[in-house]
Amino acid sequence: MKPGSSSVLIPFVITLLLSFLWATSAHTHEDFLQCLTLHAGNSTSSISQVIYTPANSSYSSILEFSIQNPRFSTPATPKPLVIITPLHVSQIQSAINCSQKHGLQIRVRSGGHDYEGLSYVSDVPFLIIDMINLRSISVDAENGTAWVESGAIIGEVYYGIAEKSIKFGFPEGLCPTVGIGGHFSGGGYGTLMRKYGLAADNIIDAQMIVVKGRILDRKSMGEDLFWAIRGGGGSSFGIIVAWKIKLVHVPSTVTVFTVNRNLEQNATKLVYWWQHVADKVHEDLFIRVVLTSANSSQEGRRTIQASFNSLYLGGIDNLLSLMQESFPELGLVREDCTEMSWIESVLYFGGFPSGESLNVLLNRTPLIRPIFKAKSDYVMEPISEVGLEGIWERFYEKEAETALLIFTPYGEKMSEISESAIPFPHRAGNIYKIQYLVYWEEEGIAATERHISWIRRLYSYMAAHVSKSPRAAYMNYRDLDIGKNNKKGKTSYRRASIWGTKYFKSNFNRLVHVKTMIDPTNFFRNEQSIPALTSW
Ligand SMILES: Cc1cc2nc3c(=O)[nH]c(=O)nc-3n(C[C@H](O)[C@H](O)[C@H](O)COP(=O)(O)OP(=O)(O)OC[C@H]3O[C@@H](n4cnc5c(N)ncnc54)[C@H](O)[C@@H]3O)c2cc1C
Ligand SMILES: *[C@@H]1O[C@H](CO)[C@@H](O)[C@H](O)[C@H]1NC(C)=O
Ligand SMILES: *[C@@H]1O[C@H](CO)[C@@H](O)[C@H](O)[C@H]1NC(C)=O
Ligand SMILES: *[C@@H]1O[C@H](CO)[C@@H](O)[C@H](O)[C@H]1NC(C)=O
Ligand SMILES: *[C@@H]1O[C@H](CO)[C@@H](O)[C@H](O)[C@H]1NC(C)=O
Ligand SMILES: *[C@@H]1O[C@H](CO)[C@@H](O)[C@H](O)[C@H]1NC(C)=O
Ligand SMILES: *[C@@H]1O[C@H](CO)[C@@H](O)[C@H](O)[C@H]1NC(C)=O
């Protein structure tokens, strides 16, 4: 063991490698930039205002601004040759045309929340098209629809709707900084999902740019491609510029509660029982469970805390009688509950203190931005108390001090929509989804390995308790552990279907078909992009 010498050598080798890659791609990159300015015609001056290369002083801050997982923000993380922050659709067209011509790959970024950093990291020479400047929102409150540009974050969508009408909301996610480019194209769920389904279930039109710079809307793209981008991930098919969404009705008063129970307060039994009611209660009621380890009231001992975190679309009185009927074991009392407006509940679930101004929804910088690794599972049969206790044991390990499990209930609208309506296939038969999250602060490979190893061990333990063949996963919780495409060369259908069927079940086949039609040369690709059949 010579830890000293390897820690000196590794950065050296990486630097060598990087400068070599840089030299070989510098040529392509110059040609690409020249192509862009030529293509842009008389709008040359405006395109130069949105092009950043490492020579520009703000390159790093633009790159870092939307990196939501610092695991992919180290000196060793591959960086883009160019970042473009388009102001006009024509600049995206030019960027696509010139990248195709000069063999550069494109990564598209909206909010930068991709769990594996795929919107801003690549092993091959690449550029980032960062949609941050294309984020206008236009709400038609009369017709209950809105056009939203894909660079907007979900907080801006909530805000834009609330500004126009308190009668409408939209079934999107909980964390306001999430971008709608990735979120809507991968599904997108939140507290309204049991009543209205996913964000992707409520998209009625889209504007996107595909290979050769063609601009399409729902009519010109056809129903196959329009189907694919609502849950199949946008990045395999092109660049989505805007979505047209159907707004949903929300009542003037909603009620929220968060009730914590630890093991001494029967947490195990309560979680066990929750599994029997969570997907069956009224569609107006959403109760998720957040599990963490915590200090016990007994000095020096650890316990598990189950946090029952809920939105009810109505007032306290109705909620209390519903809970008495369906989940009396929780012992919910009036004092646990708070009535508020729908938009205030958005702030509540976003983690903001009560009384916070709605303007915080416009802030693209999250409250915290920790290093993390996540995974997901679907549960179709309740897990036994003994099975749950196996989870608790793993939570007492050192790596799990700041780990988190989130159980999100399905049922109602989620079960009514057919498995093939959009590519997102996790419908009837699922009681709830599990998200596993582990966070850490220490930098460096050793800390990363310890924490990732912990979450993989937990995932492996869970195999017996969750969906099988396929063991399903949620695409928006991207996880490269479940399979990825070849680094170089072509990826076979067989290889891609390893991860593809987990995210999409049998919808994977139709996605491959659409991909083959729209992008036969597989220009838009990444570690988990849908393969084109012609590239076998
Ligand atoms: C803190 C946090 C909270 C979250 N909460 C929720 C939640 O409540 N509910 C939920 O469902 N999910 C949630 N997610 C997951 C989130 O939905 C996904 O990570 C989503 O893909 C993020 O979209 P983005 O635009 O921010 O990410 P990005 O990293 O910008 O993009 C994600 C993927 O989409 C592609 N993409 C982005 N924009 C476009 C575009 N315009 N056209 C084509 N492709 C595009 C990217 O290339 C990449 O492959 C959360 C994630 C985080 C980090
Ligand atoms: C070029 O300029 C003309 C006149 O200002 C404008 O109408 C046209 O859209 C511009 N073309 C491009 C590609 O920007
Ligand atoms: C980046 O630098 C180039 C070369 O100096 C310049 O043409 C371009 O306008 C700069 N980009 C921005 C966004 O300032
Ligand atoms: C992109 O290329 C196509 C031809 O391949 C051309 O018709 C189109 O005008 C180009 N668009 C831009 C903005 O460069
Ligand atoms: C509502 O939709 C109709 C039909 O599409 C349209 O004519 C009308 O202008 C829309 N209303 C508003 C306020 O835009
Ligand atoms: C735990 O459950 C038992 C019955 O199973 C009950 O008697 C007891 O009061 C509960 N404890 C708490 C703290 O709720
Ligand atoms: C839990 O207890 C440990 C040691 O007893 C202490 O260091 C830690 O701060 C406690 N954590 C919390 C959240 O109270």
Side-chain angles (χ1 to χ4, degrees), residues 462-473:
M462 292 300 287
H465 303 289
V466 297
S467 66
K468 298 169 184 69
S469 59
R471 182 170 182 182

Side-chain angles (χ1 to χ4, degrees), residues 34-48:
Q34 205 163 38
C35 171
L36 263 190
T37 33
L38 282 177
H39 251 283
N42 58 358
S43 63
T44 304
S45 59
S46 77
I47 202 158
S48 76

